[in-house]
Amino acid sequence: MKPTDLPRWDLSVLYAGPNAPEIRTELAALQTAAERFAETYQHRVASLSAADLMVALGSLETLLGEIYRPQAHASLLSSTDALDDTVRAMNTAVSDVATEVHNRLRFFDLELASAPEEVVAGWMAEAVTEGHRHHLRRARESAPHVLSTEVERVIATKNLTGRRAWSQLYTEVTAGWEIPLEVDGETRTMNLAQLRALRTNTDREIRRRAHQAILDRFERESPLFAYILNTLYQDHRTEGDLRKYTDPVAPTLLDDEIDAATLHALMSAVEAHYPVAQAYFGLKARALGLEKLMSHDVLAPYPMATREVSWTSARDLVLKAFGALHPEVADIARRFFTERRIDAEPRAGKQDGAFCAGMIPGTPPYVLLNYTGNLHDVLTLAHELGHGVHFVLAGRRQSLVNYWPTTPMAETASVFAEMVLTRDLLSSERDPAVRRQLLATRIEEALGTIHRQVCFTRYEIRAHARRAEGVVPAAGFSDLWAREHDRLYGTAVERTPGDAWGWAAIPHLVHYRFYCYAYAFGQLLVFSLYRAWEENPSIFVPRYLDLLASGGSESPAVILSRVGIDITDPTFWARGLEVVTRMVEDFRSEVVSAVP
Ligand SMILES: [Zn+2]
């Protein structure tokens, strides 16, 4: 792939560059405007009429949008030029002002949350609040858990040297590791990311050594990590008690607008489906010609499935697949190319991986990729453009507070886009190795986001319960970890004693509380939507576009009920899992026909 073929994005619709003079002028104006907003409304929110409240919310959304623009610009520039001094200076200037402005505006949501019940009921009854009722309801639901403005300020400030510092310690310790590994007869020093990447190496012995080296290092540092997790879990409990939460999962569920029964139904359905994951790993061992799949083979690639795809072919493949869903979807995606809103070229100083920056309503989203020309990169392009379509559709109908989808819904359009592209690719692919790889990619993605994340969540629930009884030793976390992984893998994947230290190796379990289930929710939801599309495209497609345009204007349950989905129905999750079962059966046919 010639890098010259690959596009860089054009950020000039935002600002001319990191030195654009209007950035500083706008930041100064923003500070003044935030100050004026606070002078007008602080200590008065509960006394506003419904109409005045809407005026205030409108000004607040404008202010938040205005701070978001330079922030997004700074973060987009840093993602391709993190080491450039001008970019760094601008980034710091913008984030200092952003923190100050956010602190200045924080009172508004706190006052909304603590407004008397009858005042809120009065607001809700007025027609003028219709577009913002969901926002008000959310503020209401969090009200019983919000502390006084002063206490909230103290907690936010103390978290910088408390919770945030522990989490940062974990990042800094693991980022500083230089781990020796013998590759091709010579010993090389590698960081954690490089070692993790070797777990997908074609050479089994390299995979084994990399896997072992990672876990050995986590084992050696496990007393420190156990200390960090004990502290973070206790901090979570202390704050939960202060905020009158009855369960450690409750704050996450409230944020995500999911009830406990839905979480329970989701997790039980997935756990009952573990045997299908085990069946897949059995087939994977067979396809790789291995007697037994070891834990270092779980991420092993299939041989001979590489195919180079030029950038223009990637674009055409994705736009064709999107067009089969709906012409409008293809049109929205096409504009990312014509308006130069994609940075695809890998180069020094550019961030790894891929993302879609959603921006704000009225400002089009951008996509970052590191395109190297394999099929996986084409799927990543579809994924990020799926996010892009979601944002554009939501931006047409929603104002800022209703724009971003809630966490469990955030991956709907992106994963759906990958499914749409995979279906299209499989329909024309004749090479058995490529077909097998395409199916395996989807299945492993599903097992990684559904089964594995539910396993993590179950572990996390049990670990918090153990912490509530007292300090948990490192070996205690290992026991819980091994037990949940025994359930997931059964006898299909043979594990080494070192695997029990895996709990320390998952950054999400350090930085966030109960985040992992949301991946499972999102993926299973997409499978259910996909089935609905297959069954009746003409009914499904308009409803699906409407769902995306809803952004975060309602809870997942309400938005999904409009496409005929009831997430409180236990059989709903099982229907999504049937798509995984079917893919594993298709994979079985491919393997059986290939391996005599
Ligand atoms: Zn995504």
Side-chain angles (χ1 to χ4, degrees):
M1 187 84 9
K2 286 199 302 294
T4 45
D5 297 340
L6 295 168
R8 293 185 181 196
W9 55 33
D10 172 10
L11 301 179
S12 62
V13 293
L14 297 168
Y15 299 98
N19 280 322
E22 68 267 33
I23 298 179
R24 295 207 181 250
T25 339
E26 282 179 22
L27 289 177
L30 196 58
Q31 281 168 298
T32 317
E35 198 50 52
R36 205 177 315 125
F37 181 85
E39 278 164 16
T40 314
Y41 294 111
Q42 194 159 18
H43 308 304
R44 289 192 49 222
V45 176
S47 66
L48 296 174
S49 69
D52 287 342
L53 179 75
M54 289 305 107
V55 173
L57 255 173
S59 317
L60 182 70
E61 287 185 306
T62 306
L63 280 170
L64 293 173
E66 280 168 2
I67 189 63
Y68 194 81
R69 239 173 112 81
Q71 253 186 317
H73 177 242
S75 108
L76 289 177
L77 278 175
S78 318
S79 65
T80 56
D81 284 295
L83 302 177
D84 181 282
D85 283 335
T86 322
V87 171
R88 269 176 155 163
M90 193 264 290
N91 210 350
T92 312
V94 172
S95 72
D96 284 352
V97 174
T99 308
E100 201 188 309
V101 168
H102 280 293
N103 275 336
R104 204 65 199 94
L105 300 177
R106 195 190 305 279
F107 76 91
F108 194 85
D109 276 346
L110 293 175
E111 288 187 35
L112 262 192
S114 56
E117 192 81 53
E118 60 279 10
V119 171
V120 180
W123 287 335
M124 301 282 257
E126 304 263 354
V128 66
T129 57
E130 198 192 337
H132 284 83
R133 275 185 204 144
H134 176 243
H135 185 72
L136 293 175
R137 222 172 4 248
R138 270 177 71 75
R140 227 37 245 146
E141 280 160 6
S142 63
H145 311 291
V146 175
L147 304 167
S148 73
T149 309
E150 196 52 20
V151 174
E152 290 291 348
R153 198 183 62 79
V154 171
I155 291 180
T157 311
K158 293 287 279 179
N159 274 346
L160 295 173
T161 47
R163 175 197 299 177
R164 288 265 297 273
W166 289 109
S167 173
Q168 182 65 17
L169 176 63
Y170 175 90
T171 306
E172 291 190 9
V173 167
T174 52
W177 283 350
E178 291 187 343
I179 303 168
L181 189 82
E182 202 193 302
V183 181
D184 302 330
E186 61 175 289
T187 303
R188 287 162 51 189
T189 306
M190 297 192 191
N191 64 28
L192 191 55
Q194 289 167 317
L195 276 178
R196 285 196 205 268
L198 287 181
R199 295 177 309 168
T200 58
N201 199 281
T202 47
D203 184 333
R204 193 181 200 201
E205 180 56 18
I206 291 180
R207 290 200 302 270
R208 189 189 67 76
R209 284 201 206 135
H211 182 78
Q212 196 59 42
I214 293 171
L215 291 164
D216 282 351
R217 182 52 70 98
F218 276 102
E219 177 178 3
R220 205 196 306 167
E221 304 278 359
S222 61
L224 171 66
F225 296 145
Y227 189 91
I228 291 176
L229 284 171
N230 271 287
T231 308
L232 287 169
Y233 288 5
Q234 183 59 20
D235 175 84
H236 184 68
R237 218 163 80 87
T238 310
E239 191 171 326
D241 287 347
L242 282 172
R243 295 186 183 282
K244 302 192 170 52
Y245 284 112
T246 49
D247 187 286
V249 195
T252 307
L253 295 177
L254 187 70
D255 249 11
D256 295 351
E257 302 182 73
I258 296 295
D259 61 28
T262 302
L263 175 68
H264 180 75
L266 160 70
M267 290 186 60
S268 313
V270 173
E271 285 168 334
H273 198 260
Y274 282 171
V276 176
Q278 293 159 14
Y280 171 75
F281 288 121
L283 290 168
K284 179 162 188 172
R286 187 170 164 188
L288 291 174
L290 301 173
E291 202 170 303
K292 186 99 196 172
L293 205 74
M294 301 286 295
S295 46
H296 50 260
D297 299 321
V298 165
L299 300 175
Y302 292 90
M304 314 241 291
T306 49
R307 160 154 305 181
E308 181 144 326
V309 186
S310 73
W311 177 248
T312 34
S313 311
R315 180 197 60 198
D316 295 346
L317 286 169
V318 172
L319 294 181
K320 173 172 162 280
F322 280 21
L325 182 61
H326 195 275
E328 175 74 21
V329 173
D331 281 345
I332 294 171
R334 188 172 295 110
R335 291 181 60 182
F336 280 80
F337 295 91
T338 55
E339 294 172 7
R340 298 178 56 204
R341 285 190 275 113
I342 305 179
D343 198 299
E345 176 202 28
R347 57 188 182 273
K350 180 173 164 178
Q351 176 181 328
D352 246 10
F355 65 75
C356 173
M359 316 302 278
I360 49 173
T363 306
Y366 279 80
V367 162
L368 178 136
L369 304 167
N370 282 278
Y371 191 80
T372 61
N374 58 40
L375 268 178
H376 186 263
D377 291 342
V378 186
L379 287 162
T380 306
L381 173 65
H383 179 104
E384 300 308 338
L385 287 175
H387 280 304
V389 169
H390 197 168
F391 283 123
V392 169
L393 289 173
R396 284 183 189 164
R397 206 190 293 169
Q398 306 303 333
S399 71
L400 191 67
V401 296
N402 291 327
Y403 177 57
W404 284 288
T406 51
T407 309
M409 301 282 290
E411 295 296 332
T412 308
S414 53
V415 179
F416 197 85
E418 285 190 66
M419 292 290 288
V420 169
L421 177 62
T422 303
R423 182 174 98 146
D424 208 51
L425 292 173
L426 278 172
S427 72
S428 57
E429 183 60 61
R430 294 288 159 260
D431 182 338
V434 176
R435 290 184 62 81
R436 197 174 60 184
Q437 181 64 61
L438 279 168
L439 273 170
T441 301
R442 285 264 60 79
I443 294 168
E444 292 190 16
E445 170 104 8
L447 301 182
T449 47
I450 300 170
H451 301 68
R452 199 152 166 265
Q453 303 299 326
V454 163
C455 173
F456 289 175
T457 306
R458 184 66 75 193
Y459 156 81
E460 201 181 0
I461 290 172
R462 295 204 198 286
H464 276 267
R466 275 287 298 277
R467 180 63 187 94
E469 293 162 12
V471 172
V472 187
F477 288 123
S478 292
D479 286 345
L480 294 174
W481 187 259
R483 200 164 86 195
E484 291 311 318
H485 284 75
D486 283 345
R487 292 177 70 197
L488 171 59
Y489 290 130
T491 55
V493 179
E494 193 168 313
R495 285 165 310 111
T496 62
D499 288 333
W501 302 102
W503 57 268
I506 311 293
H508 266 63
L509 294 176
V510 179
H511 303 310
Y512 312 101
R513 309 281 81 85
F514 306 103
Y515 190 90
C516 298
Y517 93 90
Y519 291 114
F521 184 106
Q523 184 91 22
L524 277 176
L525 172 60
V526 167
F527 287 153
S528 292
L529 293 172
Y530 184 76
R531 281 193 68 170
W533 180 41
E534 286 185 321
E535 280 160 17
N536 197 334
S538 59
I539 291 185
F540 172 77
V541 173
R543 286 175 168 186
Y544 177 65
L545 299 183
D546 192 62
L547 175 156
L548 299 184
S550 303
S553 60
E554 271 300 347
S555 70
V558 172
I559 290 178
L560 291 166
S561 68
R562 295 186 196 138
V563 263
I565 284 175
D566 174 9
I567 54 170
T568 61
D569 172 5
T571 63
F572 164 71
W573 303 106
R575 280 199 301 274
L577 286 160
E578 282 166 18
V579 176
V580 185
T581 309
R582 206 174 66 197
M583 290 193 300
V584 172
E585 285 315 311
D586 289 348
F587 183 79
R588 185 191 301 278
S589 317
E590 296 283 338
V591 171
V592 169
S593 63
V595 183

